[in-house]
Amino acid sequence: MVTGTADDALDHGKSCLIITGAPGAGKSTVSVLVARALARSALLNGDGLNGLIVSGRVWALGKPADEAARQVRLCNENVCALATNFADSGFTPVIDWIIPDREQLDFYLTALSPRRVLVVVLAPSIDEARLRNTTRDPAEQFVFDGYEALMSSMHDGFGDAGWWFDTTDLTPEETAQQIVARAPTLAARGL
């Protein structure tokens, strides 16, 4: 359990917190812990929202590519709409979703404006992310072999924006504690 008091800049809907990273980085586990540590929060999982499509769903890297891209845009729009509604009602939205490039990050920054946006990129080593992905419950595993390309796209696109947080040697609880304590200061850099 994450303990401690959240900084007022992170809690009570004063910021929208995005937790992103490669598959296996720990986004889903850490996002739940962070959301629970805040006094008023809402957890917005992009995969969960995309899963609301019951018939005709195409995953982000699926085919046909144009339909996959359309559904990613739809998911982004829905995540941002929910996040703004929660933030405007005094809840901190904690967004758990892969943001692969600057174009998508800019979409979030624009859609969530004028609210303060904090971006935490969970960045364990690629080997650690792969290991974490393969050791989780098979139903939770994400079949993915594009770690190098994804991280390169994120690094090239984000530059020094947000907080690139190396969590290779941290537990989910330690990671969440640091996010609650340090995100208000570190996660708004360069945004």
Side-chain angles (χ1 to χ4, degrees), residues 1 12 17 25 38 41 59 112 122 124 137 157-158 177:
M1 178 174 189
H12 302 292
L17 176 63
L38 302 177
S41 66
W59 77 293
L112 297 173
L122 299 183
D137 183 292
F158 289 26
Q177 286 173 345

Side-chain angles (χ1 to χ4, degrees), residues 51-71:
L52 294 174
I53 300 172
V54 174
S55 183
R57 181 175 51 201
V58 177
W59 77 293
L61 301 176
K63 301 223 185 281
D66 61 333
E67 180 60 17
R70 188 180 80 79
Q71 289 184 27

Side-chain angles (χ1 to χ4, degrees), residues 78-98:
N78 287 329
V79 167
C80 290
L82 284 170
T84 60
N85 289 339
F86 280 116
D88 292 349
S89 295
F91 292 87
T92 299
V94 179
I95 299 167
D96 162 14
W97 187 230
I98 295 173

